[in-house]
Amino acid sequence: MKAPVYSIMLILAAINLHAEDGHSLWLRSKSTGSVNIMCAKSSPALAIARQELEHSWQGKDGATIVLTIKKDKALKGDGFRLTTNGIQANTESGILYGVYEWLRLQQTGQVIPEVISNPSYERRILNHWDNPDGSIERGYAGLSIFWREGENGFAITENDKVLWQEYARANASIGINGTVLNNVNASPLILTSECLERVKAVADILRPYGIKAYLSVKFSSPSLIGGLETSDPLNPDVINWWKAKVKDIYGLIPDFGGFLIKANSEGQPGPQDFGRTHADGANMMADAFKPFGGIVMWRAFVYSPNSEDRACQAYDEFMPFDGQFRDNVIIQVKNGPVDFQPREPFSPLFGAMKKTSVMAELQITQEYLGHSIHLVYLAPMWEEFLKSETYQEGEGSTVARTTDGSLFPQKHTAIAGVANIGLDANWCGHHFAQANWYAFGRLAWDNQLTSEEIADEWLKLTFSDVSVSKDWHDNFLTPVKQIMLSSREAAVNYMMPLGFHHIFAADHHYGPGPWWAPKGVRKDWTPPYYHRADTFGVGFDRTKSGSNAVCQYHEPLTSLFNDPETCPEIYLLWFHHLPWDYKMKSGRPLWDEICKHYGTGLQQVRQFQIVWDKVEPYIDADRFSAVQSKLRKQCRHAQIWKDACLLYFQQFSRKPIPYDIERPVYDLDDLMKADMRTL
Ligand code: GCW
């Protein structure tokens, strides 16, 4: 009788040892046989390629795979070719990407095709908003994996190295080849030798995985840490200071990527403080990088408290300089004209700057999309953005094409995503937030992939310890993929449908706060600035008779957006201030339509709960209950969003909430006092 108890205990101990914390991401090793690898060269990168094949091989036992580096004109950058017996590329990184693709195809049960795969962008970069004290701006997954506070903050431990290597591997597996290691609100300390030593240590680990390190820098560093009296970009001492600093960095890190700069934005210093322009500032730095092949990513996220319409400012400030930037400057533009909202039209700078390299900045961390509490799969949002038609060079001028070099001869092409990675065991706070990291990398490699394809891959790879049977396919993969694919629209519905934007309470950007406008806070940081609700109607008038933001778009978009009858309803209140009884395409008055969207959003999340509860038999208990618990919270908060917004706007619309929509369960007064994060 004793033996079974003993063995049950052993089994329990083993299960416990393998408690599923999500740390393995989409990289679950599952070698099912041996593979012979033939490769004429050897190097650290190729050693990783071999190791990965041996570790995760799922093809024919004893098969041979040949890795060949040779010039192939059909291949671009780190692109690769899959052949019947192996992988061919121009570069070692190309081989590594080919290996990951080969393994991904095996693991997702696909036949290995004979294909060429070229990256859409030369540089595929994560932006970490990590501070040297280990905190992360807009981070929801714990502290930084790169930086740590305290006396021994700069000591490099074995744990650090293991984590950085896992990080490098995960990124390389999805084609990411660059990472900015610190916050764009940059501490000047980042350029001190202590910090740079740490950057070197990280860069050394990233290198064999084909990943370059980049840094965000503060424009006033010459005066803050260099002892100079000014940081004027045209001052010879300042110019020399930057040149010397960049040279020092390359002494430590020979393949350093470059700088990312937030200048004259939200209180950050910049060239305008010295009467100079964005071009003066960016070019001065770009010249310092020229001898080393580095680049400067200069952000276009600028707006001033007094402008009539924040959405117009980046375009107004940057368009006059089109063609004046050095060829190693890339202007980094957020996807929308305001700020990573649940839905925005694309920024009109895409395609408009024809003589300047422009790159998109996406936000993987869910600052405005439910932090790491809400299950929101962001690929549909990015797909919508990348496929948006700009009409800049006629039909087919999608945002993707305005940035990937296929429309304009950009010297450099790139795309950035603000990372959602921290020290949490599962890296991203929410198991499903891993899908957003994954999706960013996959889209950066191939901007034509669909969010459906990416979700399918990610689910198979991430939950592949569950047997891939028809049963699993029908009862886990299909319904969960459906949750993912509808999750972003659900969030838009219960947060900000029909073109509403920036109606968050306070600076945490989590809960609803259409009323939020404390005295002394900049107007363009308060929701009433954006929704403009009054007894007549609601929405921001950006038409020709309003702020005229519509004119920043190329025809036919200007006309399309300018007329409420032709403006896509998803952007209606972004571009128009309309009466509460404005007749929508559905025939319903605007107020009723708003109510319907909020009601639908809440219903969608409730449905996600049901679907998730049903998949319990198909998934490990740890991840099942972690996601279940987050969905409960998401439901409560979707309810709060709906109630708060409807009850608040009802004060202006003075109309009943249609009776086929669930009644609010909260009182507005209570919600106005509460911090939703605690509910
Ligand atoms: O959306 C705002 C964020 C800030 C961020 C800024 C930016 C890093 O609220 O936290 O600062 O955007 O992108 O610079």
Side-chain angles (χ1 to χ4, degrees):
M1 285 302 286
K2 273 186 189 157
V5 175
Y6 182 60
S7 46
I8 286 169
M9 278 169 63
L10 272 184
I11 291 167
L12 285 178
I15 289 172
N16 205 24
L17 268 181
H18 294 99
E20 179 52 82
D21 61 9
H23 194 72
S24 316
L25 296 162
W26 48 86
L27 291 162
R28 284 147 200 276
S29 52
K30 264 197 161 183
S31 167
T32 53
S34 68
V35 55
N36 304 311
I37 302 156
M38 288 172 57
C39 183
K41 264 188 87 180
S42 64
S43 74
L46 293 169
I48 295 171
R50 280 176 176 276
Q51 215 176 303
E52 293 289 9
L53 283 169
E54 281 160 5
H55 197 250
S56 311
W57 182 255
Q58 291 192 10
K60 208 168 132 219
D61 187 24
T64 297
I65 184 161
V66 188
L67 308 180
T68 320
I69 301 184
K70 74 165 192 212
K71 279 269 156 295
D72 182 337
K73 283 212 179 101
L75 297 180
K76 198 174 99 185
D78 294 324
F80 55 84
R81 185 191 284 277
L82 303 184
T83 65
T84 39
N85 68 342
I87 299 160
Q88 187 201 306
N90 287 328
T91 65
E92 292 176 7
S93 297
I95 295 288
L96 191 56
Y97 297 137
V99 164
Y100 285 121
E101 175 72 359
W102 193 292
L103 294 172
R104 184 165 36 240
L105 289 164
Q106 285 185 341
Q107 285 159 24
T108 52
Q110 297 176 67
V111 182
I112 315 289
E114 283 185 53
V115 282
I116 284 179
S117 179
N118 282 322
S120 297
Y121 301 95
E122 167 197 296
R123 299 185 190 228
R124 307 168 295 276
I125 305 177
L126 286 182
N127 287 185
H128 286 265
W129 286 356
D130 297 17
N131 301 310
D133 68 0
S135 61
I136 305 181
E137 183 154 350
R138 312 302 178 186
Y140 313 105
L143 294 171
S144 171
I145 62 167
F146 300 117
W147 307 99
R148 195 168 39 236
E149 196 174 24
E151 233 173 279
N152 287 324
F154 287 104
I156 293 159
T157 66
E158 271 317 298
N159 280 351
D160 288 335
K161 289 192 193 165
V162 169
L163 201 61
W164 297 341
Q165 190 179 356
E166 289 171 342
Y167 165 87
R169 176 178 182 232
N171 280 321
S173 76
I174 49 175
I176 288 172
N177 67 355
T179 177
V180 182
L181 298 175
N182 66 310
N183 192 354
V184 286
N185 288 326
S187 161
L189 296 180
I190 203 71
L191 291 175
T192 58
S193 49
E194 261 183 328
C195 279
L196 290 177
E197 280 298 334
R198 199 167 170 86
V199 173
K200 174 186 160 45
V202 177
D204 287 346
I205 290 179
L206 301 182
R207 188 166 300 115
Y209 287 90
I211 301 171
K212 283 187 201 299
Y214 297 73
L215 289 177
S216 297
V217 294
K218 207 175 191 73
F219 195 78
S220 53
S221 298
S223 39
L224 290 177
I225 58 161
L228 301 188
E229 272 173 15
T230 176
S231 295
D232 179 349
L234 300 192
N235 177 294
D237 293 337
V238 171
I239 296 173
N240 286 333
W241 188 87
W242 281 111
K243 280 194 170 148
K245 187 51 86 180
V246 168
K247 189 162 177 244
D248 283 354
I249 296 176
Y250 278 93
L252 287 170
I253 308 160
D255 58 346
F256 184 69
F259 286 162
L260 168 64
I261 297 133
K262 172 174 177 176
N264 292 122
S265 158
E266 297 186 329
Q268 291 298 328
Q272 292 170 351
D273 303 348
F274 308 94
R276 313 297 183 194
T277 66
H278 286 295
D280 293 332
N283 290 342
M284 178 272 293
M285 289 199 179
D287 289 342
F289 276 101
K290 199 80 203 174
F292 306 99
I295 62 163
V296 168
M297 294 168 286
W298 192 269
R299 292 176 95 225
F301 179 64
V302 292
Y303 59 100
S304 68
N306 306 320
S307 69
E308 190 203 342
D309 181 1
R310 168 174 171 181
C312 293
Q313 200 162 338
Y315 184 97
D316 289 343
E317 263 192 47
F318 277 84
M319 277 307 284
F321 299 109
D322 188 21
Q324 293 183 33
F325 292 98
R326 301 280 191 269
D327 65 7
N328 58 335
V329 172
I330 311 189
I331 303 302
Q332 181 165 315
V333 183
K334 288 189 181 182
N335 58 287
V338 170
D339 193 9
F340 298 139
Q341 296 302 292
R343 171 167 277 131
E344 296 187 43
F346 68 88
S347 161
L349 277 171
F350 292 107
M353 291 191 94
K354 299 185 199 305
K355 292 177 273 175
T356 305
S357 299
V358 173
M359 65 188 280
E361 177 177 330
L362 309 174
Q363 195 181 43
I364 310 171
T365 191
Q366 291 166 241
E367 173 181 358
Y368 295 101
L369 280 138
H371 296 187
S372 53
I373 294 169
H374 298 210
L375 191 168
V376 184
Y377 174 53
L378 300 175
M381 173 162 85
W382 301 331
E383 189 183 354
E384 176 179 298
F385 160 70
L386 289 164
K387 292 186 177 157
S388 290
E389 182 60 85
T390 72
Y391 293 103
Q392 287 289 346
E393 300 286 308
E395 231 163 278
S397 311
T398 57
V399 168
R401 297 199 59 218
T402 67
T403 52
D404 66 11
S406 62
L407 215 52
F408 306 118
Q410 306 199 171
K411 172 88 188 284
H412 296 287
T413 61
I415 188 165
V418 180
N420 60 351
I421 297 159
L423 279 176
D424 276 7
N426 73 5
W427 301 88
C428 302
H430 194 306
H431 290 293
F432 277 78
Q434 296 177 352
N436 294 329
W437 176 9
Y438 183 85
F440 169 75
R442 298 290 287 134
L443 279 172
W445 182 271
D446 181 353
N447 61 16
Q448 297 305 309
L449 285 176
T450 66
S451 34
E452 207 264 329
E453 286 167 315
I454 300 171
D456 192 87
E457 262 178 19
W458 178 79
L459 282 166
K460 286 177 179 159
L461 298 171
T462 305
F463 298 100
S464 62
D465 45 342
V466 188
S467 64
V468 185
S469 59
K470 180 166 178 344
D471 185 29
W472 183 82
H473 192 280
D474 294 349
N475 294 306
F476 183 86
L477 182 68
T478 305
V480 177
K481 190 163 52 178
Q482 198 43 46
I483 294 185
M484 290 175 74
L485 292 176
S486 51
S487 60
R488 185 275 185 136
E489 204 59 43
V492 169
N493 280 333
Y494 64 73
M495 288 185 185
M496 293 174 221
L498 298 171
F500 273 127
H501 50 290
H502 226 309
I503 54 174
F504 296 93
D507 180 51
H508 52 66
H509 297 162
Y510 183 70
W515 55 82
W516 192 78
K519 275 210 181 73
V521 171
R522 275 172 66 154
K523 273 212 172 53
D524 55 356
W525 284 348
T526 69
Y529 171 92
Y530 296 98
H531 64 65
R532 314 234 160 169
D534 53 30
T535 50
F536 167 82
V538 67
F540 198 126
D541 183 359
R542 295 192 164 106
T543 64
K544 290 181 183 169
S545 48
S547 79
N548 204 20
V550 290
C551 279
Q552 296 184 337
Y553 291 91
H554 197 282
E555 283 292 9
L557 291 180
T558 303
S559 307
L560 198 86
F561 291 155
N562 192 57
D563 180 352
E565 294 299 309
T566 53
C567 180
E569 286 191 344
I570 53 172
Y571 303 135
L572 199 60
L573 303 176
W574 180 281
F575 287 114
H576 297 273
H577 187 79
L578 295 171
W580 294 106
D581 57 5
Y582 175 80
K583 197 165 164 209
M584 301 291 288
K585 304 230 156 54
S586 64
R588 277 185 285 271
L590 172 61
W591 166 250
D592 289 19
E593 191 81 8
I594 291 173
C595 295
K596 183 168 172 286
H597 277 272
Y598 279 103
T600 303
L602 175 58
Q603 289 310 322
Q604 285 175 288
V605 189
R606 292 212 183 288
Q607 194 55 36
F608 297 165
Q609 277 191 297
I610 295 172
V611 173
W612 188 255
D613 281 358
K614 281 204 221 160
V615 304
E616 184 169 8
Y618 299 92
I619 180 180
D620 54 279
D622 297 303
R623 285 185 293 181
F624 173 75
S625 56
V627 172
Q628 185 185 52
S629 162
K630 297 238 173 185
L631 278 171
R632 287 181 180 145
K633 207 164 184 182
Q634 184 174 356
C635 252
R636 296 201 292 280
H637 294 175
Q639 174 89 54
I640 291 174
W641 267 102
K642 163 183 172 282
D643 289 2
C645 292
L646 292 189
L647 292 172
Y648 171 79
F649 288 122
Q650 192 177 32
Q651 301 175 118
F652 300 95
S653 79
R654 300 176 183 165
K655 292 171 189 298
I657 295 171
Y659 298 105
D660 56 348
I661 289 178
E662 276 184 34
R663 303 295 90 190
V665 299
Y666 292 101
D667 288 316
L668 182 60
D669 286 351
D670 294 336
L671 292 178
M672 286 175 70
K673 279 182 253 150
D675 178 343
M676 190 171 87
R677 289 170 301 174
T678 62
L679 296 175

